[in-house]
Amino acid sequence: MSTVFRLDSSIRKEGSVTRAVASSLESALTAELEGATVVRREIGLTPLPSTVWAQSAFAGYVAEEQRTAEQKDAVALATTLADELVSADAYIFAVPFYNYGVSQHFKTWVDVVLTDSRFAPGQVPLPGRPAYLVVARGGAYGPGTPRAGWDHATDWLRRVLVDMWGLELEIIESELTLAEVTPAMEALRELAADNLRNAHSAAQEHGKHLAGRLISAI
């Protein structure tokens, strides 16, 4: 039986593009892969406490019997988060683009995971495992756009997921997601709709491909 880890970091429950596109991928996968287990980690609506990273990080410099209750709880949570990753065969990360950078909830989650010894610097804990990063941006940030170069998140996400953790990553992107609710972007709404349709189509194709890959590995 294959296990897929899915993480959602959107602060929206209804209307979230990353959740919807990730669900398209998941639905296509589970329709093809009978018996797949999806392990979910919700950090957008139920974020990790902001103090956990420091408690878990500094616990590493203290003998286990001398750790505070807060440090022990933080280390236990870090272990659980790392276990979820290590135990999976494939990954879906749904990560919105907020204020030109990485979601604070996702950054906190990564920071806590990195305190586990299996994810320490120099380790490559998930080599070659397939992963899908679903990104949504309210505007456009590609070459030639007014805010080209303002995306300070995607490269960082690649550094962590690919260069540090060793995942084989595909990125599914949707831009102009704010066009429908922003009067100044009205002229871009048709393009935004096409962009979203393409993202869902790509997610469905990736889900089918992932199912085939996991089936062949059984």
Side-chain angles (χ1 to χ4, degrees):
M1 181 181 295
S2 298
T3 299
V4 178
F5 173 79
R6 172 174 170 173
L7 179 143
D8 285 284
S9 59
S10 174
I11 60 175
R12 302 177 66 190
K13 183 176 182 180
E14 304 297 331
S16 167
V17 171
T18 56
R19 291 181 191 277
V21 174
S23 290
S24 287
L25 195 160
E26 181 186 329
S27 296
L29 168 67
T30 54
E32 300 283 336
L33 186 58
E34 184 177 350
T37 298
V38 179
V39 174
R40 306 179 192 281
R41 173 59 62 173
E42 171 61 63
I43 60 171
L45 303 178
T46 54
L48 302 179
S50 60
T51 56
V52 169
W53 173 42
Q55 295 287 359
S56 183
F58 289 126
Y61 299 94
V62 179
E64 187 171 350
E65 65 274 9
Q66 295 178 345
R67 291 174 182 170
T68 66
E70 291 81 5
Q71 288 174 329
K72 291 177 181 177
D73 288 345
V75 169
L77 177 56
T79 300
T80 296
L81 299 180
D83 284 345
E84 290 174 346
L85 289 167
V86 171
S87 300
D89 302 296
Y91 308 83
I92 302 171
F93 301 100
V95 186
F97 177 68
Y98 290 143
N99 296 323
Y100 316 115
V102 179
S103 154
Q104 64 169 321
H105 302 324
F106 188 84
K107 178 63 163 59
T108 298
W109 174 79
V110 168
D111 286 336
V112 176
V113 169
L114 292 177
T115 66
D116 185 277
S117 60
R118 290 166 289 180
F119 288 80
Q123 302 296 320
V124 184
L126 311 172
R129 299 186 196 182
Y132 299 86
L133 172 62
V134 178
V135 177
R137 307 182 188 93
Y141 298 87
T145 63
R147 288 184 173 164
W150 284 47
D151 179 351
H152 302 293
T154 306
D155 282 346
W156 183 88
L157 292 165
R158 286 194 186 97
R159 297 291 81 77
V160 172
L161 299 176
V162 177
D163 296 342
M164 295 175 65
W165 294 356
L167 292 169
E168 185 181 297
L169 187 68
E170 295 281 354
I171 300 179
I172 304 169
E173 301 174 292
S174 184
E175 291 199 326
L176 303 173
T177 61
L178 290 177
E180 192 63 32
V181 296
T182 304
M185 298 175 69
E186 183 176 2
L188 297 171
R189 289 176 182 172
E190 184 175 348
L191 179 59
D194 287 342
N195 199 311
L196 183 58
R197 280 192 293 269
N198 290 338
H200 278 288
S201 178
Q204 291 164 3
E205 289 303 313
H206 281 305
K208 294 175 184 177
H209 175 77
L210 177 59
R213 177 170 174 173
L214 294 176
I215 289 171
S216 65
I218 295 175

